[in-house]
């Protein structure tokens, strides 16, 4: 067998599940790797191939379609996409990519795969029809990013989110991106040991565990019981003391004005973390963004009642759409008359009355934050 066939065979199996069955990339990849006999180097290569091919699917298809005249079987397309990713985006030498990838194909289309991949290695695309195709995003998403953060920043964002995610580890061993750590630090900034904070949408507990580790009494709530299970695992592993509640943040089971601070780290479209979720760009929809925007406003309105006088309410999302950031903030302030706490410290960029970090700013995830002063 040619060298490197086993990891490519595994990658094709995982890609078929993602592309044909709509499986979540991280779930099916982890489950497959757990059962496999591959060593750690091959596992890392499978991960890179699966996430890379998934992210760059549209650019791979454009590259391929120049040499395909008829529709081909889904399995042939999956294998060809994997080959194109290696040759064009993955930095794998063409001869190795072609021979090991062709060997994964059933005999009936080995000839086709071999011919097409060789031609692609000799003729890479030089005139991409659009930035959305070249950077491999749906048109609506690229248009929306340009509208919401401006053309240059949208392109910077789109490029950064095509890179593999960085592994950032806190001093206690928890993996958490820098911008999420910065939100947790902002949320407890100025609190003393014994003061309280409620994290209304807390699972899997990244921010809650960081906030609690500083001595602030932290209550972590989430609507999904199974996700509260993830917080339990993290709390036990890190040996951190915090309280856990399963509750719908729109109807929280707490007395009014019970907390010095409330953090609403709301469910969102996740467009700032596409780097970490390779398949998310193909799943998010404009309708979903609208639905989330009204849920975010509802969560903020119910959270406001729980903040004690003199306290603060903090709203954060790992996305950058105006619909889920400035528009939610504007509606919330108009309905409640609440004041924003003012500008956020650097490196946060000014974003309406809050702050935003784009993925390219600190090579982190994209995040937006708004803080309100409760009288
Ligand atoms: C962005 S994640 C939170 C991440 C978390 N704060 C952290 O730092 O690890 C959003 C969470 O909101 C939860 N959620 C969705 N709808 C909710 C609701 N109505 N009430 C409370 N939590 C909700 C989801 O289950 C999800 O765990």
């Amino acid at each position: 067998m040619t060298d490197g066939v086993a990891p490519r065979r595994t990658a094709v199996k995982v890609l078929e599940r993602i592309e044909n069955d709509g499986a979540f990339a991280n779930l099916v990849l982890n489950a497959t790797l757990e059962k496999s006999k591959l060593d750690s180097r091959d596992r890392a290569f499978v991960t890179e191939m699966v996430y890379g091919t998934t992210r760059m699917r549209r650019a791979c298809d454009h590259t391929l379609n120049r040499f395909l005249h008829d529709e081909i079987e889904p399995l042939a397309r999956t294998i060809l996409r994997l080959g194109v990713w290696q040759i064009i985006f993955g930095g794998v030498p063409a001869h190795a990519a072609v021979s090991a990838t062709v060997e994964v194909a059933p005999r009936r289309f080995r000839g086709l795969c071999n011919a097409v991949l060789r031609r692609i290695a000799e003729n890479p695309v030089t005139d991409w029809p659009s930035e959305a195709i070249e950077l491999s995003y749906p048109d609506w998403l690229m248009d929306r990013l340009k509208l919401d953060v401006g053309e240059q920043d949208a392109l910077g964002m789109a490029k950064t989110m095509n890179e593999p995610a960085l592994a950032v580890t806190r001093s206690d061993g928890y993996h958490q991106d820098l911008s999420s750590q910065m939100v947790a630090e902002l949320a407890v900034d100025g609190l003393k040991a014994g003061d309280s904070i409620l994290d209304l949408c807390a699972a899997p507990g990244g921010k809650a565990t960081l906030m609690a580790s500083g001595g602030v009494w932290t209550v972590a709530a989430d609507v999904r019981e199974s996700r509260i299970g993830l917080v339990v695992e993290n709390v036990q592993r890190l040996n951190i003391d915090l309280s856990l509640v399963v509750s719908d943040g729109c109807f929280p089971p707490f007395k009014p004005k019970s907390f010095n601070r409330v953090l609403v780290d709301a469910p969102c479209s996740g467009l700032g973390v596409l780097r970490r979720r390779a398949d998310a760009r193909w799943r998010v929809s404009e309708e979903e963004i609208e639905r989330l925007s009204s849920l975010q406003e509802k969560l903020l309105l119910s959270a406001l009642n729980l903040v004690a006088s003199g306290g603060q309410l903090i709203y954060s999302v790992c996305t950058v759409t105006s619909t889920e950031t400035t528009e939610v903030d504007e509606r919330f302030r108009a309905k409640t008359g609440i004041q924003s706490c003012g500008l956020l410290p650097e490196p946060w960029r000014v974003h309406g009355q809050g702050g935003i970090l784009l993925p390219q700013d600190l090579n982190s995830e994209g995040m937006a934050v708004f803080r309100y002063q409760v009288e």
Side-chain angles (χ1 to χ4, degrees):
M1 190 160 66
T2 313
D3 239 15
V5 174
R8 287 167 173 95
R9 182 161 287 140
T10 308
V12 167
K13 259 193 217 150
V14 176
L15 285 167
E16 279 195 283
R17 294 287 321 283
I18 300 168
E19 292 169 8
N20 306 337
D21 308 340
F24 283 96
N26 59 336
L27 299 183
V28 64
L29 176 69
N30 291 343
T32 307
L33 289 181
E34 239 166 61
K35 281 185 276 169
S36 90
K37 296 196 176 72
L38 296 173
D39 64 20
S40 60
R41 216 173 114 241
D42 278 349
R43 282 166 192 243
F45 186 38
V46 173
T47 304
E48 214 191 327
M49 287 191 287
V50 167
Y51 286 164
T53 306
T54 303
R55 282 193 198 99
M56 301 313 289
R57 186 187 298 169
R58 189 173 186 202
C60 289
D61 277 345
H62 175 77
T63 307
L64 275 173
N65 289 345
R66 297 174 307 152
F67 300 107
L68 296 174
H69 304 296
D70 302 310
E71 206 26 66
I72 52 170
E73 278 184 50
L75 175 58
R77 185 169 284 280
T78 300
I79 293 169
L80 283 169
R81 282 173 175 161
L82 178 66
V84 174
W85 178 81
Q86 294 169 72
I87 297 166
I88 306 292
F89 303 106
V92 179
H95 59 91
V98 174
S99 58
T101 306
V102 166
E103 207 165 310
V104 175
R107 287 195 186 284
R108 64 183 184 283
F109 43 72
R110 275 192 193 166
L112 171 85
C113 290
N114 190 40
V116 169
L117 290 178
R118 277 179 198 285
R119 292 195 65 190
I120 283 167
E122 286 156 15
N123 304 284
V125 179
T126 51
D127 52 343
W128 293 95
S130 72
E131 286 145 342
I133 296 176
E134 180 175 8
L135 296 171
S136 194
Y137 288 82
D139 288 332
W140 74 265
L141 182 44
M142 185 60 97
D143 292 346
R144 185 120 186 187
L145 290 178
K146 286 184 180 174
L147 206 66
D148 286 342
V149 302
E151 176 142 358
Q152 284 314 310
D153 280 333
L155 291 176
M157 226 182 133
K159 282 183 194 149
T160 305
M161 293 194 301
N162 281 343
E163 308 279 323
L166 283 188
V168 184
T169 308
R170 292 191 326 218
S171 58
D172 60 4
Y174 187 88
H175 297 294
Q176 185 176 40
D177 187 70
L178 196 60
S179 54
S180 292
Q181 294 186 36
M182 287 167 62
V183 169
E185 281 157 12
L186 272 180
V188 291
D189 183 39
L191 288 183
K192 317 179 285 305
D195 283 345
S196 59
I197 186 160
L198 166 67
D199 184 345
L200 197 64
C201 305
K207 297 184 187 69
T209 51
L210 186 57
M211 297 189 299
S213 67
V216 172
W217 178 55
T218 305
V219 178
D222 202 280
V223 72
R224 282 168 60 191
E225 197 170 343
S226 60
R227 289 185 56 84
I228 279 287
L230 300 175
V231 188
V232 172
E233 279 171 27
N234 285 321
V235 162
Q236 287 173 343
R237 193 164 44 82
L238 301 171
N239 194 20
I240 278 177
D241 195 14
L242 54 71
S243 306
L244 293 162
V245 180
V246 177
S247 69
D248 183 342
C250 299
F251 308 97
F254 306 103
K255 280 195 193 146
K257 298 184 180 295
S258 316
F259 298 92
N260 300 104
R261 301 255 169 106
V262 177
L263 168 65
V264 179
D265 187 37
C268 71
S269 59
L271 297 184
V273 299
L274 295 181
R275 185 174 183 175
R276 190 153 47 86
R277 304 190 193 139
D279 50 344
R281 70 187 67 186
W282 311 119
R283 292 181 188 281
V284 185
S285 69
E286 300 209 86
E287 299 73 51
E288 179 73 351
I289 292 174
E290 295 300 328
R291 187 191 67 78
L292 286 162
S293 174
S294 64
L295 173 60
Q296 289 153 355
E297 182 189 337
K298 264 193 210 146
L299 289 165
L300 274 179
L301 288 168
S302 78
L304 178 58
N305 296 325
L306 305 175
V307 184
S309 302
Q312 281 181 16
L313 175 60
I314 299 100
Y315 172 59
S316 59
V317 277
C318 56
T319 192
V320 300
T321 63
S322 307
T323 309
E324 297 169 275
T325 60
T326 45
E327 289 175 22
V328 172
D329 166 61
E330 280 157 19
R331 288 202 304 273
F332 178 56
R333 279 187 295 106
K335 279 192 182 157
T336 60
I338 196 166
Q339 297 288 316
S340 145
C341 291
L343 291 184
L344 286 137
E346 285 204 357
W348 293 95
R349 300 182 185 206
V350 176
H351 187 62
Q353 299 222 355
I356 199 164
L357 274 174
L358 301 184
Q360 63 268 40
D361 292 348
L362 300 178
N363 202 8
S364 68
E365 289 169 351
M367 194 74 76
V369 186
F370 295 81
R371 290 190 298 180
Y372 307 96
Q373 186 63 47
V374 177
E375 297 305 332

